[in-house]
Amino acid sequence: MKEIETQMAELSLHGMSRAWMALLETRKHHELSLSEGLKLLLQNEYQSRKNNRFERLKKNAGFRYQATIEEIYIDAARGVDKEMLATLATGAYMENGESVLITGASGCGKSFLASALGQQACMQGKKVAYYNLQKLLMRTKMARLEGSIHKMFTKLSKTDLLIIDDFGLTRLDQQQRMDIMEIIEDRHARNSLIITSQLPVVNWYDIIGDDTIADAILDRLVHTAYRIELNGESLRKKR
C-alpha cells in the first residue's frame, strides 16, 4: 500500500491519491472490482485537475469581483434578460468570437456581471484577462517604452476572453485610439471581448474622438454583439 501511495505522489496524481486514501480509511477498496476502483480513482484525478485549472485561470484573470452567474440578480426591469444570460452562460459566444457590451449607470452591476461571465468562462477552461481600461492603456504605454508592445498585443490576442471595464471615463488620445483599435482588430471574429461602460454605445464616438477610427472600432463591435443595458439605481446604495 505504501508503495502505491509513493508512486501516486511521485507522479503528482494528487486527486487519485486522496481518493485512494479515502478508500483505505473507509475499507471500501475491498468492495470494488478492479474496473470500479480504477474508474473512481480516475474520476477523482480528473476532477482535481479540472478544479486546479479553474483556480489557476481565475487567479490569472484578475477579476474585479469574485462573482458567479448564480449570483446575478435577474430582473427584466433592470435589463437582465434570463434567456440571454442563460445563452451567455453556455459560452457559445466565445466559440463564435462574439462580443458583449454592458452599459449602465455607476453602481448598477456592470463590473459584477462582467466578472461573473469571466468566471464562467474560466470554469469552461477558457483563458480570461480582466482590465480596467485606464490601467490597460497605462500598460500599453509602458510596453511601448520598453519595446515589448508587440509581445503584449500578441499575449492579449491569445486570450479566449478579454474584459475591458470602465470604457469611456475619459477621452482617448491618438495613441490610445490606435492601441484600442489594434486590440480589437486582433480579436475580431476570433476571440471574444466584454466591454463595460457608463455611457450608452451611441456616445462612444465622442469618447474615441476620431470618426474614422471610431467607425472602424464600432463596426467590429456592435453588429454581432450581445447588448445588455442595465437600468435602475445603484446597487451599492441598496447595500
Side-chain angles (χ1 to χ4, degrees), residues 25-220:
E25 290 169 355
T26 57
R27 301 183 182 277
K28 295 291 186 182
H29 58 296
H30 294 303
E31 301 176 10
L32 300 174
S33 66
L34 176 61
S35 60
E36 289 172 338
L38 184 58
K39 181 179 180 181
L40 178 63
L41 294 176
L42 288 172
Q43 284 176 337
N44 277 271
E45 181 62 29
Y46 171 79
Q47 190 61 48
S48 176
R49 295 193 179 197
K50 184 177 180 181
N51 292 341
N52 290 341
R53 175 172 170 76
F54 167 62
E55 293 298 329
R56 186 169 61 252
L57 289 171
K58 186 172 66 169
K59 180 180 179 180
N60 292 339
F63 295 121
R64 183 172 179 179
Y65 297 106
Q66 295 303 314
T68 65
I69 291 291
E70 291 75 20
E71 293 175 288
I72 299 299
Y73 175 44
I74 299 175
D75 182 357
R78 280 192 63 233
V80 181
D81 181 77
K82 183 177 181 180
E83 291 186 5
M84 181 186 290
L85 188 61
T87 298
L88 292 173
T90 68
Y93 71 100
M94 289 183 287
E95 302 302 326
N96 299 325
E98 296 168 328
S99 298
V100 182
L101 309 181
I102 307 172
T103 57
S106 177
C108 67
K110 302 182 300 297
S111 300
F112 193 89
L113 176 54
S115 296
L117 290 173
Q119 182 159 306
Q120 181 73 6
C122 289
M123 290 180 65
Q124 294 160 343
K126 303 296 186 181
K127 293 182 180 179
V128 183
Y130 189 107
Y131 288 98
N132 169 278
L133 177 63
Q134 295 308 310
K135 291 181 179 179
L136 175 60
L137 293 174
M138 286 176 61
R139 288 201 179 191
T140 60
K141 183 177 181 179
M142 290 301 299
R144 183 168 281 100
L145 292 173
E146 295 167 356
S148 59
I149 188 65
H150 295 297
K151 182 179 179 181
M152 181 179 178
F153 282 149
T154 298
K155 182 178 179 180
L156 287 174
S157 71
K158 291 181 178 180
T159 59
D160 299 302
L161 176 62
L162 174 62
I163 301 175
I164 299 179
D165 199 8
D166 286 332
F167 179 85
L169 293 183
T170 59
R171 289 173 63 89
L172 303 178
D173 63 31
Q174 181 62 20
Q175 187 58 66
Q176 290 172 337
R177 294 181 201 118
M178 298 306 296
D179 287 347
I180 292 297
M181 179 65 203
E182 182 83 17
I183 291 168
I184 291 175
E185 175 62 27
D186 284 345
R187 308 187 66 78
H188 181 53
R190 289 188 289 271
N191 292 319
S192 293
L193 183 69
I194 294 178
I195 298 180
T196 79
S197 177
Q198 294 183 29
L199 299 175
V201 175
V202 69
N203 292 346
W204 289 9
Y205 270 89
D206 298 330
I207 294 300
I208 296 170
D210 180 291
D211 288 347
T212 301
I213 298 177
D215 278 336
I217 289 175
L218 294 178
D219 182 63
R220 287 161 176 73

